[in-house]
Amino acid sequence: MQKDELYITASLARLELTEKEADTLSQAVSQMIEYFSMMEKIDVTGLEPTTHVSIGENRVRKDEVIESTLAERMIEAAPERDERFITVPHIL
Amino acid sequence: MIESFIGLEIHIQLLTKTKVFCNCKNEFTHVPNSHVCPVCMGYPGVLPVLNEEAVRKAYIVCRAMNCHLNEKAVFDRKNYFYPDMPKNYQISQFNSPFGVKGLIEMEGVPKVRIHDAHLEEDAGKLVHEGMTSYCDYNRAGTPLLEIVTEPDFKKPEEAELFMQNFRKMVRYLGVCDGNMEEGSMRCDVNVSVNFEGKGLGRKVEVKNLNSFRHVKLALQYEIQRQSRMITAGESVVQETRLWNDEKKRTEGMRSKENANDYRYFPEPDLPPYCPTKEFLAQIDAAQVELPWVRKRRFIDEYGLNEDGAEFLTEEKEKADFFENAVKGGISIANASSWMRGEVAKDLNKAKKSLGESFLTVEKFVTVIKLLESEKINAQAAKKVMDIIINEDADPMQVIEKNNLMQTADSGEVEAMVDKLLADNAKVVAQIKGGDQKPIGFLIGQLMKTSGGKADPKKARELILNKISQLG
Amino acid sequence: MIDVLAKDKDIHSFLEYDAERKKCKNPDGPLANIPCGVKDNIAVEGFHLTCASKILENFVSPYNATAVDKLEAAGAIVVGKTNMDEFGMGSSTDFSAFGGTNNPWNKEYVTGGSSGGSAAAVAAGLVPFALGSDTGGSIRQPAAFCGVYGLKPTYGAVSRYGLVAYASSLDVIGVLSKDLDLTEKVFNIIKGQDWHDQTSIAYPEEPAKPVNGKLSFTYLEGDLGLTPEIEKGYKALIQKIRDKGFEIKGVEVPSLEYVIPVYYTIATAEASANLARYNGIRYGHRSKEGETPMDLMEKSRNEGFGDEVKLRILLGTYVLRSGFQDQYYIKAQKIRTKIINEFKNIFSTSDIFVAPAFPSQAFKHGNAGLTAYQQKVADKFTVTANLTGMPALSIPVGMENGLPVGMQLFANYCSENLLFEAAREVL
């Protein structure tokens, strides 16, 4: 895999790679991608992709309110907050 | 000649009690992060649990738009990072949404093909202030139905008219309140221009349109901007722009380092949804006559004019009220004019909708029937109407209590007229002298003294007769 | 009472241990007062839920996984959270951000992974059983390395609610124990459809029956690349089955050749989305730097994730990118269908499919062991059960050079009872 492809992929995944990481990871990623390419030769004519293995009947739930008791606890779990808001830096 | 091509992407928040994938309240609140749970906060280990009512309402809209309903609808993950999106992917539908290939036909707009309608989850809200963004996840997980049209509109006015009718439609169907200012209905547009016959041009998306007016203005602006560009031989950049309402123009967004690649793939946490025959029968049963169809029928069937039909079909409850009133036996003209006049005025004053007020079809019909049979006069009817809109009162009791029955005893009224003429000798002399103007004053006085019981139509005749009898 | 903490000092199977934090909720329950360990990617209210990652180092779960609720309702007591490879990504437990776990049989060796902490804790006798999770062999391989039973149930048989997702279409919660009966008992308690997990299934009440009236076996044939120790144990097991009078025939499974690329394509693709939520905003590690939200997310993720996790996120992101998706992700899902068909075919005429758990016994820590790449390729015997969603049980069959040898039994969907029956018959 080319390094610029790695950087595009990393940016989509919101990973900020250092130069050194990019070196080692591009090698490891390339090795796996190359390995993946062995799938090319397999004939899958007429086969549908399997996305779920346990499909039964439709699954839905009733539209009934269950109020969570965890809101306060979750607000407190945020690394930075202002009263009930969870905050992040913002540069215009 | 330059042609323009306009497509709409409409988001509607569905009216459900709970969010689409968890049991938190789907309701606006001013307390930040209060309607949240581990699921809508994207906590580790939680799973989405599909709300049947969101599914039902989504299908109702798909059906109303004549969509083809996929036998197997599949949820997908749409991957992109944003602080208001707890999981950093949005559960949506991409390859096999609930509805595809729909069609909407209405007057004043070309046939609009619906590309698809898909169910997804709304994001939270960010408020920016100074160097900080404040995250509130109350809205995260609100059920959203996104409707994507093909670029079938040619003019901004068509898009605007379509949006207005679309809003009425979702309100008729009871699936969305259609409030654009509060964001429960949102619209992005895409627009391209090209020399006639050359097909679609390069598409520009415009976001941040909070009203129908914005939709029209932004489209007008964009068409002008793009037309100028291609006429000058420049090429339009395919991009997303924002409407700046203060400056009345669209503005390019800061370009991102990379074009978005959403990497859609089937959501493994939710099994596909296959609508059953029974379910689809329920969806069919929930269909209603669409507002623009109903309006046309009101014109054809009741002989109403455009404005009248427009007014009466604005809301489903109003149209139902009108038709039930007519069925109740009152005249079309009275049903229409009273609903558009006095009732609308009183409701407006009370800041209530028809449904929120105390007025029922039965009460309305009772009052208008009394008016039509001349048991009460128009003034009395107005008075009763005002009361029964604002209070839980019986119209007959209101009439009795206020002594509003038009008196059948002509002797009583005659005596009143005699007294009136005697008290106003000067005026009488004026009329006898050939000046007809003061008659209005005398009628008004009579109505006042009779407490509305006198019939104003007859009053004029009676007064003139009496004066001529005076010799 | 054993002094668990003292005993665990050299093993490091627990990331957090507190026998007093939870009380028995049902003194008359089938698991009354039985202590258990829970892998640190399964939510236990009031305990940390780190997934052995720095990004969740200080994260305490505000809720219970459904499986944990069910254990507690049966009287079991969660006493601690066990070590693992970060987010389940590894087969040694050396990829824990908080230090690896040592194999109780020989501390120079790994426990396997990713449920290495659970396997070591039960092997060392610290708890009678532990919950683990299995995405590509994460219960069965460490169970084999540590000489205990490890059940990977049918996909959807046990609710995933509360299991931190690695690869959602492959993940399943299962049980590790030295005691086969207890393994079965715990499975029967934690299984069942859950409204919190719409991929969970209504498990049949009637136990599965052998296709021919009596248990019949098949075993994996061909050049399997096994170490002599594993080869020996494998042959001995097949012979034993035959000696007990059961029918057993060898079958070749051509798809085995490419299950690893299929597995890693699907697993990393799903993981790339599942791990997107860790961005330092709502919980978990937040970078001290980062001036814009995007910058903050990138830095937090970069500081919080280990190398193996980053590698898999990158792989998964790549295989889903437009232009590559058909070639990798969609193709893998189609081959997955082929593999499922192959196994359905096997189970149409026999009940139990026998295969090794791993090509080798436990390997040494560090560079003396297998490279990350070699470890991945060696997962070929375990990942098939995850790709098909079928259940599999790792069973200890003996010792070689002071380390356990483990084998695997596979069965058709919802046929866990046949796995237990077979295990009892052949040992």
Side-chain angles (χ1 to χ4, degrees):
Chain A
M1 189 204 254
Q2 298 295 318
K3 250 198 190 164
D4 55 338
E5 285 292 343
L6 183 78
Y7 279 119
I8 292 171
T9 309
S11 150
L12 286 169
R14 294 286 166 216
L15 288 172
E16 193 188 60
L17 302 181
T18 62
E19 195 75 20
K20 209 178 129 214
E21 276 179 317
D23 281 337
T24 51
L25 281 168
S26 71
Q27 207 187 341
V29 172
S30 297
Q31 193 178 20
M32 289 301 287
I33 293 289
E34 198 179 314
Y35 187 37
F36 288 177
S37 63
M38 82 152 64
M39 294 191 292
E40 273 172 38
K41 64 173 196 270
I42 294 153
D43 180 26
V44 289
T45 318
L47 292 175
E48 287 294 312
T50 296
T51 55
H52 301 77
V53 290
S54 63
I55 301 174
E57 74 287 19
N58 290 330
R59 294 289 301 274
V60 289
R61 66 168 169 85
K62 294 246 171 296
D63 186 25
E64 288 165 357
V65 175
I66 302 174
E67 274 183 271
S68 174
T69 53
L70 301 174
E72 275 67 28
R73 207 165 148 181
M74 290 193 292
I75 292 167
E76 278 164 32
E80 281 173 45
R81 57 188 183 272
D82 186 341
E83 297 192 340
R84 294 187 67 92
F85 283 105
I86 293 167
T87 57
V88 286
H90 177 72
I91 296 271
L92 287 168
Chain B
M1 271 297 276
I2 290 174
E3 262 188 307
S4 43
F5 304 89
I6 300 164
L8 303 176
E9 285 163 38
I10 307 168
H11 286 90
I12 54 170
Q13 289 183 337
L14 299 175
L15 287 168
T16 55
K17 291 197 197 85
T18 65
K19 295 184 178 182
V20 60
F21 297 124
C22 66
N23 293 77
C24 286
K25 263 189 198 161
N26 172 23
E27 189 183 278
F28 179 79
T29 164
H30 286 286
V31 187
N33 294 309
S34 54
H35 294 168
V36 291
C37 74
V39 176
C40 55
M41 286 286 269
Y43 259 48
V46 296
L47 298 167
V49 189
L50 182 61
N51 178 349
E52 67 176 356
E53 189 60 11
V55 173
R56 207 179 70 82
K57 293 205 153 112
Y59 272 98
I60 288 174
V61 179
C62 291
R63 193 60 133 197
M65 301 188 303
N66 307 300
C67 283
H68 167 73
L69 305 178
N70 279 313
E71 263 172 60
K72 183 170 128 181
V74 179
F75 290 93
D76 292 286
R77 291 186 182 176
K78 179 182 183 179
N79 296 288
Y80 66 97
F81 283 79
Y82 208 72
D84 63 1
M85 218 174 34
K87 299 185 294 296
N88 290 310
Y89 60 82
Q90 180 191 31
I91 303 179
S92 180
Q93 298 178 320
F94 185 61
N95 278 319
S96 188
F98 285 161
V100 291
K101 293 188 181 138
L103 186 72
I104 297 185
E105 292 184 73
M106 63 179 70
E107 285 172 52
V109 176
K111 283 183 186 176
V112 180
R113 290 169 300 153
I114 303 299
H115 179 273
D116 79 283
H118 56 265
L119 182 62
E120 59 189 23
E121 54 184 338
D122 208 344
K125 266 183 190 162
L126 291 183
V127 183
H128 309 291
E129 211 180 283
M131 305 285 267
T132 306
S133 290
Y134 298 82
C135 312
D136 174 8
Y137 297 98
N138 283 334
R139 197 180 69 176
T142 298
L144 269 190
L145 188 71
E146 179 174 349
I147 296 103
V148 183
T149 79
E150 300 288 357
D152 289 343
F153 304 94
K154 300 280 176 211
K155 297 182 199 138
E157 295 73 22
E158 294 166 356
E160 188 192 25
L161 178 63
F162 178 86
M163 282 296 290
Q164 285 164 345
N165 274 317
F166 188 88
R167 176 179 180 275
K168 276 183 214 167
M169 178 185 81
V170 296
R171 290 172 59 88
Y172 262 56
L173 293 167
V175 299
C176 175
D177 67 18
N179 191 328
M180 283 191 82
E181 287 70 35
E182 284 174 16
S184 52
M185 177 165 160
R186 310 196 279 270
C187 179
D188 300 335
V189 301
N190 55 70
V191 53
S192 73
V193 302
N194 210 345
F195 296 106
E196 206 170 337
K198 291 268 176 98
L200 299 173
R202 275 224 194 101
K203 191 166 87 173
V204 171
E205 259 199 87
V206 186
K207 292 176 185 281
N208 198 32
L209 305 168
N210 302 321
S211 72
F212 299 133
R213 204 176 51 87
H214 292 179
V215 169
K216 187 169 73 181
L217 292 176
L219 284 171
Q220 284 170 343
Y221 180 88
E222 262 309 299
I223 289 169
Q224 248 180 39
R225 186 184 72 91
Q226 294 180 23
S227 301
R228 235 185 353 248
M229 286 177 82
I230 66 163
T231 310
E234 294 169 48
S235 60
V236 175
V237 184
Q238 183 156 340
E239 61 175 342
T240 299
R241 301 175 69 84
L242 294 179
W243 173 248
N244 183 330
D245 196 46
E246 275 170 42
K247 298 187 176 149
K248 299 279 178 274
R249 67 179 191 205
T250 66
E251 292 168 351
M253 292 166 81
R254 226 181 307 166
S255 72
K256 289 172 190 163
E257 304 138 54
N258 293 297
N260 266 336
D261 177 350
Y262 293 126
R263 289 160 285 134
Y264 284 100
F265 73 98
E267 165 59 278
D269 289 334
L270 291 168
Y273 187 82
C274 307
T276 62
K277 271 191 186 145
E278 296 75 34
F279 174 79
L280 291 177
Q282 280 179 34
I283 298 304
D284 285 344
Q287 295 303 312
V288 298
E289 190 179 19
L290 297 179
W292 54 90
V293 178
R294 200 166 195 183
K295 178 182 158 189
R296 179 48 48 196
R297 183 168 64 77
F298 274 23
I299 293 171
D300 296 343
E301 195 175 319
Y302 299 110
L304 296 169
N305 61 20
E306 276 285 328
D307 287 354
E310 177 71 32
F311 175 86
L312 291 171
T313 56
E314 209 166 38
E315 302 286 339
K316 185 173 178 294
E317 64 176 12
K318 221 149 60 177
D320 288 346
F321 193 98
F322 168 77
E323 291 210 281
N324 287 329
V326 172
K327 262 186 221 146
I330 65 172
S331 76
I332 292 164
N334 272 333
S336 158
S337 66
W338 277 82
M339 281 183 70
R340 292 178 69 187
E342 199 61 22
V343 172
K345 200 181 80 192
D346 288 343
L347 288 173
N348 201 24
K349 208 163 57 190
K351 292 197 172 73
K352 278 179 179 166
S353 74
L354 202 44
E356 289 161 351
S357 81
F358 288 102
L359 190 66
T360 63
V361 175
E362 292 72 29
K363 289 179 186 179
F364 178 73
V365 167
T366 303
V367 176
I368 301 299
K369 272 189 173 165
L370 289 172
L371 175 73
E372 287 177 352
S373 59
E374 300 187 352
K375 300 260 168 41
I376 58 174
N377 62 33
Q379 200 188 349
K382 280 181 186 173
K383 193 168 176 180
V384 182
M385 211 60 94
D386 185 29
I387 292 170
I388 62 176
I389 281 170
N390 289 296
E391 295 168 27
D392 185 13
D394 174 55
M396 288 311 290
Q397 281 175 7
V398 172
I399 288 164
E400 253 167 60
K401 203 173 137 198
N402 294 283
N403 200 20
L404 293 173
M405 273 297 179
Q406 207 142 236
T407 178
D409 183 358
S410 53
E412 199 182 327
V413 179
E414 269 180 58
M416 281 179 199
V417 175
D418 289 340
K419 187 168 184 294
L420 186 69
L421 297 186
D423 290 351
N424 294 281
K426 243 190 198 167
V427 178
V428 172
Q430 219 174 314
I431 294 169
K432 282 179 82 174
D435 184 1
Q436 299 284 305
K437 270 185 244 156
I439 290 181
F441 165 77
L442 291 176
I443 296 172
Q445 289 297 306
L446 179 65
M447 299 313 289
K448 209 170 164 187
T449 44
S450 74
K453 279 155 77 179
D455 184 339
K457 275 183 279 175
K458 288 181 180 166
R460 181 187 187 87
E461 208 179 320
L462 189 64
I463 290 167
L464 285 173
N465 274 340
K466 284 275 176 196
I467 290 174
S468 64
Q469 279 166 30
L470 285 174
Chain C
M1 282 289 272
I2 49 164
D3 186 348
V4 171
L5 283 175
K7 258 192 113 177
D8 197 37
K9 224 173 141 192
D10 295 337
I11 302 170
H12 190 233
S13 61
F14 281 100
L15 290 176
E16 187 177 20
Y17 184 89
D18 182 356
E20 306 302 318
R21 198 170 305 173
K22 298 279 180 176
K23 300 281 171 275
C24 177
K25 285 184 178 163
N26 181 2
D28 302 317
L31 298 174
N33 290 303
I34 298 181
C36 68
V38 173
K39 188 178 179 179
D40 207 24
N41 61 350
I42 300 172
V44 180
E45 195 273 326
F47 274 97
H48 280 80
L49 180 62
T50 70
C51 301
S53 179
K54 272 205 316 217
I55 210 156
L56 287 174
E57 187 165 6
N58 300 311
F59 183 77
V60 176
S61 177
Y63 74 104
N64 259 355
T66 300
V68 171
D69 267 342
K70 289 187 167 200
L71 284 182
E72 290 189 337
I77 302 167
V78 177
V79 293
K81 302 300 293 294
T82 57
N83 202 4
M84 58 187 283
D85 290 300
E86 185 177 354
F87 285 104
M89 297 177 175
S91 22
S92 67
T93 307
D94 282 354
F95 294 151
S96 164
F98 310 119
T101 297
N102 297 322
N103 195 310
W105 297 90
N106 185 336
K107 291 166 189 53
E108 285 176 31
Y109 288 78
V110 302
T111 56
S114 66
S115 310
S118 290
V122 297
L126 306 183
V127 279
F129 76 91
L131 293 185
S133 70
D134 194 313
T135 306
S138 284
I139 287 176
R140 291 159 288 155
Q141 185 255 23
F145 280 17
C146 295
V148 301
Y149 292 97
L151 173 72
K152 179 257 163 211
T154 302
Y155 181 82
V158 178
S159 168
R160 289 185 295 120
Y161 183 71
L163 168 63
V164 179
Y166 160 16
S168 314
S169 79
L170 305 164
D171 291 341
V172 57
I173 291 178
V175 193
L176 298 97
S177 176
K178 278 202 272 194
D179 181 338
L180 186 62
D181 293 341
L182 185 59
T183 306
E184 184 170 20
K185 192 172 178 181
V186 172
F187 167 65
N188 283 321
I189 285 165
I190 62 175
K191 73 174 199 263
Q193 195 162 44
D194 178 16
W195 73 269
H196 279 112
D197 175 3
Q198 294 187 325
T199 63
S200 64
I201 54 169
Y203 198 88
E205 298 206 358
E206 279 293 303
K209 292 192 181 66
V211 286
N212 302 314
K214 188 189 176 198
L215 277 182
S216 59
F217 293 76
T218 45
Y219 70 93
L220 178 64
E221 228 176 21
D223 180 15
L224 307 181
L226 308 177
T227 63
E229 295 80 12
I230 297 295
E231 181 91 38
K232 189 176 154 199
Y234 186 45
K235 285 197 166 138
L237 176 65
I238 295 163
Q239 193 53 46
K240 199 168 178 186
I241 294 169
R242 213 168 259 140
D243 291 348
K244 291 240 177 176
F246 291 103
E247 187 196 317
I248 180 162
K249 351 175 255 254
V251 287
E252 297 221 10
V253 182
S255 60
L256 219 60
E257 228 191 299
Y258 41 79
V259 290
I260 293 299
V262 171
Y263 167 76
Y264 275 96
T265 300
I266 295 170
T268 58
E270 293 180 6
S272 72
N274 283 329
L275 272 65
R277 67 189 62 194
Y278 310 109
N279 62 2
I281 293 180
R282 283 150 296 119
Y283 51 78
H285 172 75
R286 175 181 289 210
S287 176
K288 299 269 176 290
E289 291 161 60
E291 296 183 327
T292 66
M294 291 306 165
D295 202 22
L296 176 78
M297 287 196 251
E298 281 185 358
K299 291 205 161 60
S300 300
R301 287 165 68 76
N302 216 44
E303 292 165 11
F305 289 139
D307 288 343
E308 182 63 23
V309 172
K310 285 180 197 169
L311 168 64
R312 296 198 193 191
I313 290 174
L314 286 171
L315 267 177
T317 306
Y318 184 77
V319 298
L320 286 174
R321 276 177 56 187
S322 70
F324 302 113
Q325 191 168 123
D326 287 350
Q327 182 185 348
Y328 297 111
Y329 181 71
I330 310 275
K331 184 77 189 250
Q333 297 278 39
K334 287 184 178 167
I335 304 175
R336 186 178 187 183
T337 309
K338 198 180 176 91
I339 297 164
I340 292 172
N341 292 342
E342 210 159 344
F343 273 84
K344 277 184 177 163
N345 194 31
I346 290 173
F347 292 121
S348 67
T349 56
S350 75
D351 306 303
I352 304 292
F353 175 77
V354 184
F358 202 73
S360 73
Q361 292 177 282
F363 45 85
K364 279 191 174 171
H365 289 291
N367 294 332
L370 302 172
T371 66
Y373 176 71
Q374 286 169 321
Q375 284 179 36
K376 289 187 183 80
V377 175
D379 288 339
K380 63 180 173 188
F381 300 129
T382 46
V383 297
T384 49
N386 303 84
L387 290 171
T388 61
M390 291 168 181
L393 178 69
S394 178
I395 57 172
V397 295
M399 300 288 290
E400 290 291 335
N401 307 327
L403 286 170
V405 174
M407 294 295 148
Q408 268 189 108
L409 307 177
F410 295 76
N412 206 346
Y413 299 112
C414 299
S415 302
E416 279 83 347
N417 62 308
L418 298 181
L419 290 176
F420 291 116
E421 197 183 321
R424 283 187 194 100
E425 290 282 357
V426 301
L427 292 173

